[in-house]
């Protein structure tokens, strides 16, 4: 036996007739109301459809067979729902604008990479790699393991079977060499 989909719950037969009457009478005025405020026909039609969808949801039977909400004044319900939809839309638009403004503000503090800056960065990287190649193998490997791979001095020391102070000395040697080479450029 197929399971019941809550979105397909039954609406009372008189609810169907009421919806048809309300749709025939108010779909045009609601669409016009939305169109004057959102200025886009497709969005106005979507909002109108959402108003009727919310009414259907209010009139639907619950899974245990209970009749949905009783709507005493359907016209008031439709237009109150329309006003609420526009308020929700305005809140979402404001939130979006706030987030966009924050993102733009954050982006202003980010440096724009010009072609010259990219070229300068590549040249600096080449110089640093060349300076690393001038080091002996162990000093270079210790530097790479610590600075690029993120290993701690104790971890590197256990890999090489030396003390942590030896690793610190290798790092000092590598950093001093790189600093001398950077000043030369």
């Amino acid at each position: 036996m197929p399971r019941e989909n809550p979105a397909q719950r039954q609406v009372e037969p008189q609810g169907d007739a009421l919806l048809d009457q309300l749709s025939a009478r108010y779909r045009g005025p609601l669409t016009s109301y939305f169109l004057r405020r959102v200025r886009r026909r497709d969005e106005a039609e979507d909002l109108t459809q959402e108003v009727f969808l919310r009414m259907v949801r209010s009139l639907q039977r619950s899974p245990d067979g209970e009749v949905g909400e009783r709507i005493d004044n359907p016209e008031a319900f439709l237009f109150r729902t329309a006003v609420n939809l526009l308020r929700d839309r305005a809140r979402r638009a404001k939130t979006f604008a706030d987030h966009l403004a924050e993102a733009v503000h954050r982006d202003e503090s980010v440096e724009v990479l010009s072609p010259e800056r990219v070229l300068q960065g590549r040249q600096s990287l080449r110089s640093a790699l060349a300076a690393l190649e001038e080091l002996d193998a162990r000093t270079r490997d210790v530097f790479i393991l610590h600075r690029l791979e993120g290993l701690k001095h104790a971890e590197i020391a256990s890999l090489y079977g030396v003390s942590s102070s030896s690793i610190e000395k290798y790092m000092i040697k590598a950093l001093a060499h790189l600093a001398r080479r950077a000043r030369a450029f």
Side-chain angles (χ1 to χ4, degrees):
M1 179 167 179
R3 294 168 65 182
E4 180 185 8
N5 180 350
Q8 296 175 334
R9 292 182 199 150
Q10 294 273 331
V11 175
E12 290 294 308
Q14 62 270 22
D16 277 342
L18 175 64
L19 282 171
D20 289 342
Q21 285 176 332
L22 291 171
S23 179
R25 183 168 181 199
Y26 292 107
R27 185 167 294 277
L30 278 171
T31 302
S32 296
Y33 170 79
F34 285 128
L35 191 56
R36 284 190 303 275
R37 284 153 182 83
V38 299
R39 306 269 185 228
R40 288 187 39 215
R41 178 159 273 313
D42 60 331
E43 195 170 351
E45 289 171 355
D46 287 346
L47 288 166
T48 301
Q49 187 64 28
E50 181 65 25
V51 168
F52 286 104
L53 180 62
R54 288 187 182 190
M55 177 169 261
V56 166
R57 286 182 183 149
S58 294
L59 295 172
Q60 285 178 334
R61 289 183 186 209
S62 64
D64 56 6
E66 290 184 33
V67 177
E69 180 181 328
R70 182 169 179 248
I71 299 175
D72 293 328
N73 188 343
E75 293 87 3
F77 179 90
L78 288 174
F79 285 99
R80 185 177 65 242
T81 302
V83 169
N84 290 340
L85 280 173
L86 286 175
R87 277 192 196 132
D88 292 346
R89 181 180 176 273
R91 280 188 208 115
R92 280 192 305 275
K94 183 184 180 321
T95 301
F96 177 77
D98 291 346
H99 288 300
L100 187 62
E102 182 181 326
V104 167
H105 175 71
R106 251 186 280 130
D107 285 348
E108 288 173 356
S109 64
V110 175
E111 182 180 340
V112 176
L113 292 179
S114 66
E116 296 84 16
R117 177 85 170 114
V118 171
L119 179 62
Q120 183 184 18
R122 286 182 180 164
Q123 289 172 341
S124 296
L125 181 60
R126 274 193 219 108
S127 298
L129 291 173
L132 280 175
E133 288 298 322
E134 296 169 355
L135 294 169
D136 63 276
R138 182 166 285 188
T139 304
R140 180 179 55 246
D141 292 345
V142 166
F143 179 83
I144 289 171
L145 287 172
H146 180 66
R147 288 296 177 114
L148 301 178
E149 299 295 328
L151 282 119
K152 295 185 181 350
H153 288 185
E155 295 170 322
I156 300 169
S158 70
L159 282 173
Y160 283 103
V162 296
S163 68
S164 289
S165 66
S166 294
I167 299 302
E168 289 174 18
K169 289 175 186 168
Y170 285 120
M171 285 298 298
I172 290 170
K173 182 179 174 183
L175 290 170
H177 179 71
L178 289 171
R180 279 191 305 275
R181 295 288 282 143
R183 277 186 293 226
F185 294 109

